[in-house]
């Protein structure tokens, strides 16, 4: 049941550089995944963190403010320059190249927020990226939630190639960890808020119109009613995992000598 597109449809560095040029806010300033990862690092006494696909360094800002050592990997040169200008240690090379360098440090926590859905081979990516962690280190990942609020807007271009080439459920994250040789520590989903229901419902109607599809009358009104009912009845406390993203915390095996 895992959904994936042909690997050749994945976008390259030039694609994301153009996206950033068209949408200045393409890289989020914060998200539940950032806050969750910082809290996880505090609970486990972690100190050195590297973020894969760090963008302009928004998560690294939070890492540094929390007192951790912040590193990032970013192949988009414009975004990497922004992050470096903030004082973060940024690597603009592929992970395989970094791992071949003798002086490359190992990390307590490796993060990849909304990255896995972009790569052609998720298992190979996670296996390789996990080598950045030291023995017994941790890996944090977030991916769009296929069974979450995105179901209200299946026409959204972000969820299709060349942007995303895979679609994820919680069971897929567990399978990913197992195939990559990591132990799943915690897997869950973001909380769904009523405002998101309305926003994604409206987006679906806008995309239908842009594609010249027949307009379905009454849908915008029904979406607003559903959003209002969801908020007023406190449903966000009963459906905590139906938000936009899933998250997973994994642990690398401990090496024994």
């Amino acid at each position: 049941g895992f959904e994936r597109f042909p690997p050749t449809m994945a976008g390259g560095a030039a694609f994301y550089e153009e996206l950033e040029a068209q949408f200045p806010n393409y890289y989020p300033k914060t998200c539940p995944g950032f806050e969750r990862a910082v809290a996880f690092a505090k609970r486990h006494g972690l100190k050195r963190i590297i973020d894969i696909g760090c963008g302009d360094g928004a998560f690294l800002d939070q890492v540094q403010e929390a007192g951790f050592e912040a590193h990032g990997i970013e192949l988009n040169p414009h975004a990497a320059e922004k992050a470096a200008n903030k004082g973060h240690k940024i690597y603009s090379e592929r992970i395989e190249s970094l791992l071949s360098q003798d002086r490359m440090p190992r990390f307590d926590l490796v993060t990849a927020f909304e990255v896995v859905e972009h790569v052609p081979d998720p298992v190979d990516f996670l296996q390789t990226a996990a080598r950045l962690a030291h023995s017994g280190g941790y890996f944090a990942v977030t991916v769009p939630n296929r069974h979450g609020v995105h179901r209200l807007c299946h026409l959204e271009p972000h969820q299709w190639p060349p942007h995303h080439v895979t679609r994820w459920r919680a069971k897929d994250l567990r399978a990913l960890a197992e195939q990559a040789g990591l132990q799943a520590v915690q897997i869950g989903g973001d909380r769904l808020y009523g405002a998101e229901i309305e926003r994604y419902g409206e987006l679906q109607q806008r995309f239908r119109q842009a594609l010249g599809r027949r307009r379905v009358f009454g849908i915008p009104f029904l979406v607003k009613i559903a959003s209002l009912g969801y908020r007023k009845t406190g449903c966000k406390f009963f459906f905590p995992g139906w938000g936009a993203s899933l998250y997973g915390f994994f642990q690398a095996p401990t090496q024994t000598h």
Side-chain angles (χ1 to χ4, degrees), residues 86-143:
K86 296 178 180 179
H88 303 308
K89 175 62 178 177
I90 305 299
Y91 307 94
S92 295
E93 301 176 59
R94 296 192 175 277
I95 300 172
E96 296 87 347
S97 175
L98 294 174
L99 289 169
S100 67
Q101 300 174 18
D102 294 336
R103 291 189 175 184
M104 185 64 188
R106 294 300 184 264
F107 299 87
D108 302 315
L109 176 63
V110 181
T111 61
F113 301 107
E114 311 295 308
V115 170
V116 176
E117 67 274 12
H118 297 264
V119 301
D121 189 336
V123 174
D124 179 70
F125 168 79
L126 190 59
Q127 285 176 327
T128 304
R131 291 170 55 199
L132 289 166
H134 62 61
S135 173
Y138 294 93
F139 195 102
V141 61
T142 66
V143 291

Side-chain angles (χ1 to χ4, degrees), residues 120-224:
D121 189 336
V123 174
D124 179 70
F125 168 79
L126 190 59
Q127 285 176 327
T128 304
R131 291 170 55 199
L132 289 166
H134 62 61
S135 173
Y138 294 93
F139 195 102
V141 61
T142 66
V143 291
N145 184 0
R146 171 180 153 194
H147 285 169
V149 71
H150 291 293
R151 286 187 291 185
L152 296 177
C153 189
H154 66 272
L155 295 176
E156 184 188 6
H158 282 93
Q159 306 305 320
W160 294 83
H163 196 245
H164 292 175
V165 289
T166 51
R167 293 179 175 170
W168 294 85
R169 306 162 296 178
K171 65 188 295 184
D172 299 322
L173 282 182
R174 295 189 182 93
L176 175 66
E178 182 179 352
Q179 292 183 35
L182 303 177
Q183 178 184 354
V185 176
Q186 184 182 0
I187 291 175
D190 288 348
R191 178 167 285 167
L192 173 62
Y193 294 93
E196 290 182 291
I197 296 175
E198 188 169 346
R199 182 164 65 92
Y200 279 90
E202 290 176 350
L203 273 176
Q204 177 74 355
Q205 292 304 304
R206 290 173 60 189
F207 290 134
R208 288 185 62 89
Q209 184 179 4
L211 292 169
R213 297 190 179 184
R214 181 175 61 86
R215 184 173 181 179
V216 181
F217 292 98
I219 292 296
F221 175 74
L222 291 175
V223 169
K224 288 182 182 294

Side-chain angles (χ1 to χ4, degrees), residues 223-252:
V223 169
K224 288 182 182 294
I225 292 298
S227 174
L228 179 63
Y230 186 91
R231 290 196 294 263
K232 294 297 185 181
T233 56
C235 284
K236 67 182 181 182
F237 298 109
F238 300 99
F239 305 102
W242 285 13
S245 293
L246 296 169
Y247 66 87
F249 288 98
F250 312 132
Q251 187 172 21

